[in-house]
């Protein structure tokens, strides 16, 4: 079917927007809707102003869509399907190539071999953007900015390598995790991506073109709303797609090799082809191996993940700004961006993550995404949050037709989450992937009016997997075993706190929920605060410190002291507005004026730090003294190992030392 001229203009504009560069976002979060409507000025003035500025600033880069894919389409051949590549996977062809190129892995030397396939690095690269704080959507703990790999200016699928300048050691000594190739489609399980800071290099020019193009598109109106997509196939994984009409010759939607590789000879490596092998050839001819914590830069050439991150963050900023000021421009921004991403037929995303974090390689098993791809859409929580604010403020722009169309989309996505093979795999995990899965499921159910279903999803999480996620000390073993443990501890804290906030909105208190070892979310935060990040980005923890202070109170000012010392301008960050006790009415500190925090009293002297160390240590010892013996997490009842990322496994014995550690609260680290 031929597209209308306005639709073609929008797609061209969206493609330009995607090509401009990556954008980033705050951590996943939920802001109490009633709090947004009732909050007044005072201690959060600076944070409120920051949100207003970011609402206007981020809107200049919108709208966004997953449809512009630069000629690279998912195996289904449908550009409306979300597509991303597993970020920690690298081609492992072992060609005898000289120099570093797209065939090289993260640790390869100049001859293309990998001297230590298990040696993973770290990094904390981030840049400070004016409009968006937070992170690179592909950076789930993979530090490629400071000590690894950058995109080539001439070919952004080529890899430029720099040696890692330092390594990280953590206590207890980590056992090397088990890496394994995917043996079949049914064994597929992958990894996820988080968030740090990287701004768009030129947000205005393509955004203007996009906004102009959008004006002529048919958008949802009152009456019978357009159905944005067809319902996804449920239960089984989709079969291999058919050939597509992309600008590159394809086999089942994946660009074909430029030429066949040379035959293997009896040597330590395979001679590379006579002519340079095109980068796209590695996608279907090379097996890909996982290198935990090392982001393969060519995943950044796909625009879908950055689009989802930028859209959701701008939508939330603009919805909150509308709730604060009732300025119509903010409300119109929200509906414009949601229409383009979810509802307008020409640009809408299909309600599935069938091709999220696809692990490339030869064979049909690599024509589908992995279970960790669901993590890519964790910011759906922000979209639901934004729409709930719009509805609560009775925005004239959020029409019944839009609400009906969005409800249909959400119902289809909930069905996919609960019934697809990838969704079921994710729901069976024990680490941050499961925690973020519950974020999405609960928020989506809340949106479609299934309040009981949302409550049940949260109750099941806190009554099951949460029990094994925090040791008595506050350590998080499933995250501590990773190559970038500080980041992953913060990452799972992000998901746990969001689940507690969603429950708080629904009238439930899971802030006091305890793991089987007597630890709460606060215990996990206190433990992580006491660690030396050792080169990782300490700013990962700042929003979580504010959230825990809001939920549990800060009578001695220990959390305020930490923030003042580490991030003196924290009171001007959006999270400071989100994380007030008044926003968490069902938390221990909610409604207790004695725990309310005054930004003017955030001195944070040395005595406060000492108090924190003593209090945290006593809290840890209280849990240890409870005498709860270690037992293998429930996930090991049916298997000897569990998968943390695609092809990355861990055993109970490898996790046990992390459950038995006492305390890492170190005064010098605060």
């Amino acid at each position: 079917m031929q597209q209308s001229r306005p639709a073609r203009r929008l797609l061209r504009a969206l493609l330009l927007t995607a090509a401009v560069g990556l954008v980033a976002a705050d951590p996943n979060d939920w802001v109490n809707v009633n709090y947004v409507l009732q909050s007044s000025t005072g201690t959060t003035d600076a944070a409120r102003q920051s949100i207003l500025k970011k609402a206007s600033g981020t809107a200049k880069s919108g709208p966004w869509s997953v449809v512009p894919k630069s000629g690279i389409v998912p195996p289904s051949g449908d550009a409306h399907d979300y597509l991303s590549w597993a970020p920690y996977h690298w081609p492992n062809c072992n060609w005898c190539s000289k120099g570093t190129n797209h065939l090289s892995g993260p640790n390869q030397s100049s001859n293309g071999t990998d001297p230590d396939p298990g040696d993973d690095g770290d990094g904390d690269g981030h840049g400070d953007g004016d409009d968006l704080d937070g992170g690179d959507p592909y950076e789930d703990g993979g530090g490629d900015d400071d000590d690894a790999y950058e995109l080539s200016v001439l070919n952004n699928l080529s890899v430029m390598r720099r040696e890692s300048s330092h390594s990280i050691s953590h206590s207890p000594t980590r056992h090397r995790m088990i890496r394994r190739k995917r043996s079949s489609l049914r064994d597929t399980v992958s990894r996820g991506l988080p968030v740090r800071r990287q701004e768009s290099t030129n947000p205005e020019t393509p955004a203007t073109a996009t906004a102009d193009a959008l004006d002529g598109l048919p958008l949802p109106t009152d009456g019978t709303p357009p159905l944005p997509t067809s319902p996804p196939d449920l239960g089984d994984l989709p079969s291999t797609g058919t050939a597509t009409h992309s600008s590159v010759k394809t086999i089942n939607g994946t660009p074909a090799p430029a030429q066949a590789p040379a035959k293997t000879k009896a040597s330590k490596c395979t001679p590379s082809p006579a002519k340079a092998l095109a980068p796209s050839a590695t996608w279907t001819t090379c097996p890909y191996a996982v290198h935990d914590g090392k982001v393969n830069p060519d995943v950044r050439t796909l625009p879908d993940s950055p689009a989802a991150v930028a859209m959701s963050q701008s939508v939330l900023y603009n919805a909150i700004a509308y709730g604060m000021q009732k300025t119509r421009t903010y409300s119109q921004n929200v509906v414009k961006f949601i229409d383009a991403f979810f509802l307008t037929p020409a640009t809408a995303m299909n309600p599935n993550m069938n091709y999220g974090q696809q692990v490339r390689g030869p064979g049909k098993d690599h024509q589908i995404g992995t279970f960790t791809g669901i993590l890519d859409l964790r910011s759906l929580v922000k979209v639901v949050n934004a729409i709930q604010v719009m509805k609560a403020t009775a925005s004239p722009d959020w029409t019944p037709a839009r609400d009906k169309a969005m409800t249909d989309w959400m119902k289809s996505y909930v069905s996919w989450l609960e019934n697809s093979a990838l969704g079921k795999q994710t729901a069976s995990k024990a680490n941050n992937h499961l925690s973020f899965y519950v974020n999405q499921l609960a928020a989506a159910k809340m949106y479609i009016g299934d309040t009981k279903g949302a409550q049940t999803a949260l109750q099941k999480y806190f009554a099951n997997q949460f029990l094994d996620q925090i040791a008595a000390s506050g350590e998080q073993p499933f995250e501590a075993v990773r190559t970038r443990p500080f980041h992953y501890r913060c990452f799972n804290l992000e998901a746990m706190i969001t689940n507690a906030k969603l429950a708080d909105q629904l009238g439930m208190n899971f802030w006091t929920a305890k793991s089987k070892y007597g630890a709460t979310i606060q215990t996990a935060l206190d433990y992580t605060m006491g660690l030396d990040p050792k080169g990782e980005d300490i700013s990962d923890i700042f929003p979580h410190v504010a959230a825990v202070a809001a939920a549990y109170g800060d009578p001695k000012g220990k959390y305020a002291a930490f923030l003042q010392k580490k991030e003196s301008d924290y009171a001007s960050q959006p999270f400071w507005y989100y994380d007030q006790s008044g926003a968490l009415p069902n938390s221990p500190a909610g409604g207790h004026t004695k725990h309310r925090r005054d930004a003017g009293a955030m001195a944070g002297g040395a005595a406060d730090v000492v108090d924190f160390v003593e209090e945290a240590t006593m809290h840890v010892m209280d849990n240890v003294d409870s005498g709860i013996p270690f037992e293998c997490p429930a996930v090991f009842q049916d298997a000897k190992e569990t998968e943390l990322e695609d092809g990355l496994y861990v055993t109970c014995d490898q996790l046990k030392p992390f459950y038995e550690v006492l305390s890492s609260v170190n005064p010098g680290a605060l």
Side-chain angles (χ1 to χ4, degrees):
M1 182 177 67
Q2 189 173 6
Q3 294 174 330
S4 66
R5 183 173 298 176
R8 291 196 299 271
R9 289 206 309 268
L10 174 61
L11 290 175
R12 285 197 297 269
L14 287 168
L15 187 58
L16 285 172
T17 303
V20 165
L22 297 182
V23 290
D26 297 334
N28 224 29
D29 214 334
W30 177 271
V31 189
N32 184 279
V33 175
N34 295 329
Y35 167 78
V36 174
L37 303 184
Q38 300 170 4
S39 62
S40 59
T41 59
T43 60
T44 60
D45 278 351
R48 289 161 59 92
Q49 290 303 312
S50 178
I51 292 170
L52 294 174
K53 178 183 177 182
K54 290 173 183 292
S56 299
T58 59
K60 296 176 182 178
S61 298
W64 298 268
S65 169
V66 302
V67 172
K69 296 189 187 294
S70 306
I72 303 173
V73 294
S76 65
D78 187 349
H80 294 264
D81 282 333
Y82 179 97
L83 174 66
S84 66
W85 290 329
Y88 292 166
H89 284 72
W90 294 74
N92 191 30
C93 283
N94 198 31
W95 271 303
C96 301
S97 58
K98 293 184 178 181
T100 302
N101 54 37
H102 60 275
L103 307 180
S104 300
N107 299 301
Q108 286 181 337
S109 55
S110 59
N111 65 355
T113 60
D114 186 346
D116 184 3
D119 182 18
D120 300 306
D122 72 284
D124 62 353
H126 65 273
D128 294 323
D130 293 333
D131 295 330
L132 286 169
D133 294 330
D136 179 347
Y138 293 109
E139 213 260 292
D140 187 22
D144 58 309
D145 292 319
D146 278 358
D147 60 356
Y149 333 105
E150 298 174 349
L151 296 180
S152 167
V153 175
L154 298 178
N155 184 346
N156 60 359
L157 288 175
S158 298
V159 176
M160 298 181 65
R161 171 182 169 274
R162 292 184 296 170
E163 293 288 348
S164 176
S165 60
H166 57 277
S167 61
I168 296 180
S169 61
H170 294 267
S171 297
T173 302
R174 294 198 311 274
H175 297 277
R176 193 179 293 267
M177 289 174 286
I178 304 166
R179 298 193 303 173
R180 184 178 305 140
K181 295 179 181 178
R182 296 202 304 176
S183 57
S184 71
L185 185 60
R186 295 298 170 211
D187 294 331
T188 299
V189 257
S190 154
R191 111 31 329 147
L193 335 160
V195 176
R196 205 95 76 272
R197 299 175 187 168
Q198 184 166 335
E199 64 176 317
S200 173
T201 56
N202 180 15
E204 297 186 6
T205 303
T208 302
T210 304
D212 292 342
L214 187 61
D215 291 339
L217 281 177
L219 300 177
T221 57
D222 288 322
T224 303
L227 295 178
T229 60
S230 299
D233 292 332
L234 303 178
D236 242 351
L237 293 173
S239 59
T240 304
T242 56
T244 67
H245 300 286
S246 69
S247 59
V248 182
K249 290 184 178 180
T250 63
I251 299 176
N252 295 328
T254 303
Q259 65 179 71
K263 294 182 179 180
T264 303
K265 296 182 179 180
S267 63
K268 293 183 178 180
C269 56
T270 303
S272 58
K275 297 181 180 180
L277 192 67
S280 61
T282 65
W283 306 343
T284 54
T285 60
C286 288
Y288 274 65
V290 61
H291 294 264
D292 188 37
K294 289 185 178 294
V295 176
N296 185 338
D298 76 351
V299 303
R300 302 177 193 279
T301 62
L302 299 183
D304 295 19
S305 180
V309 169
M311 175 276 301
S312 59
Q313 188 61 72
S314 188
V315 160
L316 182 58
Y317 282 151
N318 278 274
I320 293 176
Y322 180 73
M324 291 176 181
Q325 295 197 335
K326 303 300 187 295
T327 301
R328 191 76 181 273
T329 300
Y330 297 126
S331 176
Q332 292 169 342
N333 285 339
V334 172
V335 299
K336 181 192 302 182
F337 302 156
I338 289 177
D339 283 345
F341 199 90
F342 295 103
L343 305 179
T344 302
T347 59
M349 172 185 162
N350 290 334
N352 69 71
M353 294 295 285
N354 287 330
Y355 306 102
Q357 295 194 29
Q358 176 187 357
V359 174
R360 291 162 285 175
K364 293 183 178 180
D365 289 349
H366 297 276
Q367 296 293 306
I368 190 63
T370 51
F371 79 89
T372 58
I374 292 175
L375 185 68
D376 285 12
L377 203 60
R378 63 190 178 278
S379 61
L380 186 71
V381 174
K382 297 178 182 179
V383 175
V384 174
N385 199 173
I387 297 175
Q388 298 296 73
V389 171
M390 295 278 283
K391 293 166 75 171
T393 55
S395 165
D397 298 303
W398 192 254
T399 63
R402 279 195 174 89
D403 194 53
K404 172 64 166 60
M406 194 66 190
T407 299
D408 289 344
W409 194 98
M410 286 285 186
K411 285 181 177 178
S412 293
Y413 187 61
V414 167
S415 292
W416 185 88
L417 282 175
E418 293 186 314
N419 298 302
S420 69
L422 292 177
K424 290 177 180 178
Q425 287 175 357
T426 310
S428 71
K429 302 307 175 185
N431 64 339
N432 65 79
H433 289 288
L434 179 278
S435 305
F436 280 107
Y437 171 89
V438 176
N439 284 185
Q440 291 189 50
L441 183 61
K445 283 179 175 286
M446 186 188 303
Y447 183 80
I448 64 177
D450 185 6
T451 301
K452 184 177 180 180
Q455 291 175 324
T456 299
L458 293 164
Q459 288 170 336
K460 288 178 64 176
Y461 164 71
F462 281 102
N464 292 283
Q465 290 95 331
F466 176 80
L467 299 179
D468 291 313
Q469 287 188 332
I470 311 175
S473 63
E475 178 62 284
Q476 300 173 70
F478 286 98
E479 315 307 328
V481 74
R482 302 296 295 274
T483 59
R484 297 194 66 213
F486 184 83
H487 167 79
Y488 275 104
R489 292 181 184 104
C490 294
F491 198 44
N492 195 50
L493 271 167
E494 177 182 328
M496 292 191 294
I497 289 171
T498 300
N499 282 330
K501 286 186 174 183
L502 286 165
D504 198 296
Q505 179 76 63
L506 293 171
M508 299 184 292
N509 172 21
F510 286 117
W511 300 105
T512 55
K514 294 183 178 181
S515 72
K516 67 173 61 171
Y517 302 102
T520 65
I521 291 173
Q522 184 181 25
T523 317
L525 185 280
D526 286 353
Y527 179 86
T528 307
M529 274 179 62
L531 294 173
D532 180 356
K534 295 185 178 179
E536 296 188 60
D537 188 356
I538 194 172
S539 70
D540 282 356
I541 201 173
F542 297 159
H544 313 325
V545 174
V548 165
Y552 298 90
D554 191 17
K556 295 184 179 180
K558 66 182 184 184
Y559 300 119
F562 181 90
L563 288 173
Q564 182 64 36
K565 182 177 181 180
K566 302 295 185 180
E567 178 85 324
S568 60
D569 67 340
Y570 66 90
S572 66
Q573 301 301 317
F575 68 73
W576 185 248
Y577 171 75
Y578 307 156
D579 294 321
Q580 296 292 312
S581 296
L584 305 171
N586 294 290
S587 68
H592 295 289
T593 56
K594 66 178 182 178
H595 287 151
R596 294 197 181 268
R597 299 161 294 150
D598 188 334
M602 300 291 168
D608 295 318
V609 177
V610 174
D611 285 343
F612 165 70
V613 174
E614 292 176 351
E615 183 176 330
T617 302
M618 290 175 62
H619 185 57
V620 167
M621 294 311 298
D622 285 344
N623 287 336
V624 173
D625 289 343
S626 64
I628 301 174
F630 167 78
E631 63 180 24
C632 284
V635 72
F636 295 109
Q637 290 179 357
D638 299 322
K640 293 182 178 180
E641 57 193 21
T642 186
E643 199 164 17
L644 302 178
E645 303 291 346
D646 182 82
L648 191 68
Y649 294 80
V650 69
T651 66
C652 177
D653 287 342
Q654 291 172 319
L655 295 179
K656 183 178 179 180
F658 295 98
Y659 284 100
E660 297 174 337
V661 67
L662 295 183
S663 175
S664 291
V665 177
N666 177 7
L670 298 176

